[in-house]
């Protein structure tokens, strides 16, 4: 079975982003970029499925500017077999990415698509669900455990208040939660090998997809700042302040 | 113009997140209808009919909707969609699971996690773990929205008298079925709706310490227990206690962060709390940058002392 994984290039999770003073967006110039952490988990899961013999080939997908190639090379270094980049300068929103992925699924016919549950830049948490809808496939979001058994999958999902386990028919779209696995470190030999793996570049037009944004961003602003707090010297003062000043207990 | 709110419920009663979502729907203008989809859910439909500001409740009762499976619930919502300009659900695990599927089936973009309604087509939503607020405008014919519940004050659960209308169920997709559910047992208030939240971090050092130190404090305050990702990953606390960008977003009256450094990811989940208290032995910890009251102290002596002083 072929597995498709989608990876996104985002501002590194350790970076404290700054809002541009003209309110047009977040300043990403010269900022460290890396693979979205949930997508690393997605690639790792695909590679583990291959190591277990459940997957035969792993195709990694990314869409965006040319530099997304680096993100795909990272996926190849983790263990994906080949990469597909949909190269565009346009702003891509989840619905557009889901449509690009659907077009690729139609072409590649994978039995399983794995995505991260959300990207840490737009925090949308939509693409996997949208892709499943467009394909008419089942979806298993926020997965913390995936077991394949013939033409079925058993997926444990993280939900409010605990866990739930679903049984779903393949083909299927899965989105990863944090505790699905711990992604491996990429080693230097694997980075070198990844440079030789095939990486195709397509355009949205090649896939026949209109990627025009549906949501218009009018402005991006700093969140309201909290007033400066105080340090209290001891527990007695803290409790007294909570009772008498803040009146919250 | 009218809005359809997808109720979150347990078949008997409606969950609190629905009340915040009704408030957001009312802010979009027009009538507010509520969909109660489930199995044996007449009780929840009656409860939804009493919510202030709701003019109609659509009740659909079918075995295929018992477990809120995304495939079936989305199909049900899409069948009702033509009558509505706005479709809203709380940004809970269930709302996040179903609504993007609805949006794609309607060929519209979803607006995730809104915190303000500026106009019927214009909304504020946090991006980059809450480090920026984007104002977005949707040109789509129907606005499919998830609502960050902490961004909207809940409407009253009583006082309304909406009519309940039974609706024909959509067909079972047969693509998925629930085979097991494991609830974390807790007698404490629910994390998302608690007035007071006490959260522990890596500073607790072990699961035993977490329980020994945090439980008495939570019990004394009648608080919900939360945890940082570090504490959850280390196995000190169950994962549905996680507060942060990728866990729960809370905004209680009082948030007490114990042994939590205050990574961006964690702050995104709690920085809208009314009063924040930080107890940490590292006076340079970023958590002190958002705390109203900071105490630089060893949590193993400070927290028991606090329990004694309450």
């Amino acid at each position: 079975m072929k597995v498709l994984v989608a990876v996104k290039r985002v501002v590194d999770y350790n970076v404290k982003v700054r809002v541009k003073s003209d309110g047009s967006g977040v300043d990403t110039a010269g900022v460290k970029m890396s693979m979205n952490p949930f997508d690393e988990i997605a690639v790792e899961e695909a590679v583990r499925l291959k190591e277990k013999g459940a997957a035969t080939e792993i195709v990694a997908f990314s869409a965006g500017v040319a530099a997304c190639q680096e993100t795909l090379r990272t996926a190849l270094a983790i263990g994906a077999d080949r990469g597909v980049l949909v190269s565009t300068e346009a702003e891509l929103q989840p619905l557009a990415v889901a449509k690009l992925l659907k077009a690729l699924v139609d072409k590649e016919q994978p039995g399983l698509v794995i995505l991260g549950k959300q990207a840490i830049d737009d925090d949308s948490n939509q693409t996997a669900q949208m892709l499943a809808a467009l394909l008419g496939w089942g979806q298993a979001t926020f997965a913390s455990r995936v077991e394949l058994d013939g033409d079925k999958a058993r997926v444990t999902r993280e939900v409010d208040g605990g866990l739930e386990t679903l049984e779903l028919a393949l083909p299927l779209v899965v989105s990863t939660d944090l505790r699905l696995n711990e992604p491996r470190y990429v080693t230097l030999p694997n980075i070198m090998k990844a440079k030789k793996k095939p990486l195709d570049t397509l355009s949205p037009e090649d896939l026949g997809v209109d990627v025009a944004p549906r949501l218009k961003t009018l402005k991006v602003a700093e969140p309201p700042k909290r007033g400066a707090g105080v340090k209290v010297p001891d527990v007695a003062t803290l409790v007294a302040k909570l009772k008498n000043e803040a009146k919250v207990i | 113009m009218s809005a359809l709110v997808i109720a979150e419920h347990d078949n008997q009663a409606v969950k609190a997140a629905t009340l915040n979502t009704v408030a957001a729907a009312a802010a979009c203008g027009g009538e507010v209808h509520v969909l109660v989809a489930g199995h044996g859910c007449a009780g929840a439909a009656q409860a939804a009919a009493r919510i202030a500001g709701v003019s109609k409740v659509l009740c659909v009762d079918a075995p295929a909707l018992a477990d809120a499976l995304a495939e079936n619930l989305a199909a049900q919502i899409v069948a009702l969609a033509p009558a509505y300009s706005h479709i809203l659900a709380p940004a809970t695990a269930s709302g996040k699971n179903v609504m993007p599927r609805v949006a794609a089936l309607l060929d519209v973009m979803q607006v995730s996690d809104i915190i303000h309604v500026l106009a019927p087509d214009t909304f504020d939503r946090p991006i980059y773990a809450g480090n920026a607020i984007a104002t977005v405008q949707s040109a789509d014919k129907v606005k499919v929205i998830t609502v960050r519940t902490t961004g909207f004050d809940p409407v009253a659960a009583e006082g309304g008298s909406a009519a309940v209308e039974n609706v024909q169920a959509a067909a079972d997709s047969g693509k998925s079925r629930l085979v097991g559910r494991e609830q974390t047992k807790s007698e404490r208030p629910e994390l998302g709706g608690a007035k007071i939240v006490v959260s522990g971090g890596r500073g607790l050092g072990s699961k035993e310490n977490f329980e020994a130190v945090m439980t008495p404090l939570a019990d004394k305050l009648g608080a919900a227990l939360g945890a940082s990702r570090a504490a959850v990953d280390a196995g000190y606390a169950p994962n549905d206690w996680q507060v942060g960008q990728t866990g729960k977003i809370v905004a209680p009256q009082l948030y007490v962060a114990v042994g939590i450094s205050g990574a961006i990811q964690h702050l995104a989940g709690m920085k809208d709390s009314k009063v924040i208290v930080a107890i940490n032995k590292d006076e340079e910890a970023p958590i002190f940058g958002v705390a109203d009251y900071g105490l630089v102290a060893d949590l193993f002596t400070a927290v028991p002392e606090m329990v004694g002083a309450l």
Side-chain angles (χ1 to χ4, degrees):
Chain A
M1 183 179 70
K2 195 188 281 186
V3 178
L4 179 65
V5 286
V7 296
K8 184 175 185 182
R9 177 176 179 265
V10 298
V11 171
D12 188 87
Y13 72 99
N14 283 313
V15 172
K16 174 107 170 73
V17 296
R18 277 170 208 279
V19 172
K20 287 190 206 164
S21 54
D22 66 358
S24 64
V26 161
D27 196 355
T28 54
V31 167
K32 187 186 176 205
M33 307 291 281
S34 34
M35 188 190 292
N36 181 44
F38 289 100
D39 303 347
E40 286 185 52
I41 295 170
V43 180
E44 174 68 31
E45 194 65 17
V47 174
R48 290 187 190 189
L49 287 172
K50 193 178 171 196
E51 287 166 350
K52 277 191 267 184
T56 48
E57 188 190 23
I58 302 166
V59 181
F61 160 97
S62 193
V65 296
C68 295
Q69 276 199 29
E70 295 159 25
T71 316
L72 281 172
R73 290 288 172 205
T74 306
L76 297 173
I78 297 171
D81 296 297
R82 59 189 171 89
V84 177
L85 171 66
V86 177
S87 183
T88 172
E89 295 289 323
E91 180 201 343
L92 292 175
Q93 292 177 347
L95 184 61
V97 177
K99 287 180 176 180
L100 292 171
L101 272 162
K102 180 191 184 287
L104 192 65
V105 167
D106 290 344
K107 215 164 111 172
E108 297 275 354
Q109 301 285 318
L112 181 67
V113 185
I114 313 180
L115 298 88
K117 82 163 174 184
Q118 80 189 56
I120 60 166
D121 51 1
D122 64 10
D123 285 336
S124 288
N125 193 333
Q126 299 177 11
T127 309
Q129 296 90 316
M130 288 182 152
L131 174 63
L134 296 176
L135 290 165
W137 291 5
Q139 68 182 53
T141 52
F142 326 147
S144 57
R145 191 181 162 97
V146 176
E147 291 166 298
L148 298 182
D149 179 15
D151 59 353
K152 281 191 166 57
R154 252 176 197 249
V155 182
T156 300
R157 306 178 53 233
E158 301 205 356
V159 296
D160 297 333
L163 300 170
E164 68 175 35
T165 302
L166 300 181
E167 190 175 87
L168 303 104
L170 292 173
L172 173 68
V173 177
V174 169
S175 81
T176 64
D177 215 319
L178 284 170
R179 274 156 293 273
L180 180 59
N181 61 48
E182 190 139 323
R184 68 195 67 185
Y185 287 104
V186 293
T187 60
L188 188 59
N190 284 340
I191 292 171
M192 300 311 288
K193 268 189 239 163
K195 288 185 178 165
K196 296 201 185 74
K197 291 184 179 176
L199 198 161
D200 293 333
T201 302
L202 301 171
S203 70
E205 294 74 36
D206 293 335
L207 293 168
V209 175
D210 172 14
V211 295
R214 301 290 190 84
L215 291 181
K216 189 170 153 197
T217 301
L218 302 180
K219 71 169 177 114
V220 175
E222 295 256 2
K225 290 248 183 311
R226 293 187 72 93
V230 293
K231 290 236 171 89
V232 294
D234 51 42
V235 169
T237 316
L238 175 62
V239 172
K241 281 192 181 284
L242 289 177
K243 279 186 175 153
N244 306 322
E245 197 175 276
K247 300 192 196 320
V248 283
I249 53 174
Chain B
M1 194 172 74
S2 46
L4 181 65
V5 169
I6 315 307
E8 193 147 321
H9 65 88
D10 62 3
N11 289 318
Q12 277 86 47
V14 172
K15 293 195 181 159
T18 306
L19 304 176
N20 309 77
T21 310
V22 168
C28 294
E31 282 190 18
V32 179
H33 298 179
V34 173
L35 171 67
V36 175
H39 188 42
C41 57
Q46 291 304 326
R50 294 194 296 272
I51 297 173
V54 172
S55 55
K56 185 156 81 172
V57 173
L58 304 177
C59 176
V60 47
D61 197 322
L65 293 166
D67 303 310
L69 296 169
E71 297 81 5
N72 292 345
L73 184 51
Q76 187 69 50
I77 297 167
V78 168
L80 299 168
Y84 295 97
S85 59
H86 294 74
I87 304 175
L88 306 93
T92 53
S94 177
K96 289 174 179 176
N97 185 39
V98 171
M99 295 299 269
R101 191 170 178 106
V102 171
L105 292 172
L106 296 171
D107 192 30
V108 303
M109 254 300 286
Q110 178 185 279
V111 191
S112 295
D113 252 318
I114 64 162
I115 54 170
H116 289 121
V117 177
L118 302 172
D121 65 351
T122 310
F123 313 92
D124 279 348
R125 57 176 306 264
I127 54 173
Y128 288 93
N131 286 300
I133 308 295
T135 305
V136 296
Q137 189 174 37
S138 165
D140 284 321
K141 58 186 186 298
V142 44
K143 279 57 170 168
V144 175
I145 293 166
T146 60
V147 175
R148 178 166 293 193
T149 54
T150 58
F152 296 86
D153 291 330
V155 298
E158 300 290 336
S161 55
V164 177
E165 187 180 300
N166 287 306
V167 177
Q168 181 75 35
D172 187 349
S173 79
K175 291 190 197 310
S176 62
R177 66 184 183 96
L178 182 79
V179 291
R181 192 168 269 164
E182 203 180 303
Q183 299 284 357
T184 310
K185 287 192 183 64
S186 176
E187 301 191 343
R188 296 200 185 83
E190 198 195 351
L191 188 53
K195 296 247 181 310
I196 302 180
V197 173
V198 299
S199 272
R202 199 195 288 279
L204 271 306
S206 71
K207 186 171 192 286
E208 291 68 32
N209 287 344
F210 195 102
E211 280 163 14
V213 173
M214 299 303 291
T215 310
L217 182 61
D219 289 346
K220 199 82 184 202
L221 290 166
L225 269 172
S228 68
R229 183 181 165 192
V232 170
D233 280 353
Y236 305 170
N239 56 42
D240 56 319
W241 290 9
Q242 185 185 319
V243 172
Q245 182 188 17
T246 56
K248 292 255 178 25
I249 314 285
V250 300
Q253 294 288 304
L254 173 62
Y255 187 90
V256 185
V258 177
I260 292 175
S261 64
I264 298 171
Q265 203 274 348
H266 186 76
L267 299 183
M270 46 63 83
K271 66 185 170 53
D272 294 325
S273 306
K274 184 162 174 271
V275 174
I276 297 173
V277 170
I279 301 174
N280 203 303
K281 66 181 176 197
D282 173 13
E283 62 178 308
E284 302 295 322
I287 192 77
F288 289 119
V290 300
D292 299 283
Y293 302 106
L295 176 63
V296 180
D298 180 1
L299 67 93
F300 293 104
T301 53
V303 174
E305 202 184 319
M306 190 171 168
V307 173
L310 287 166

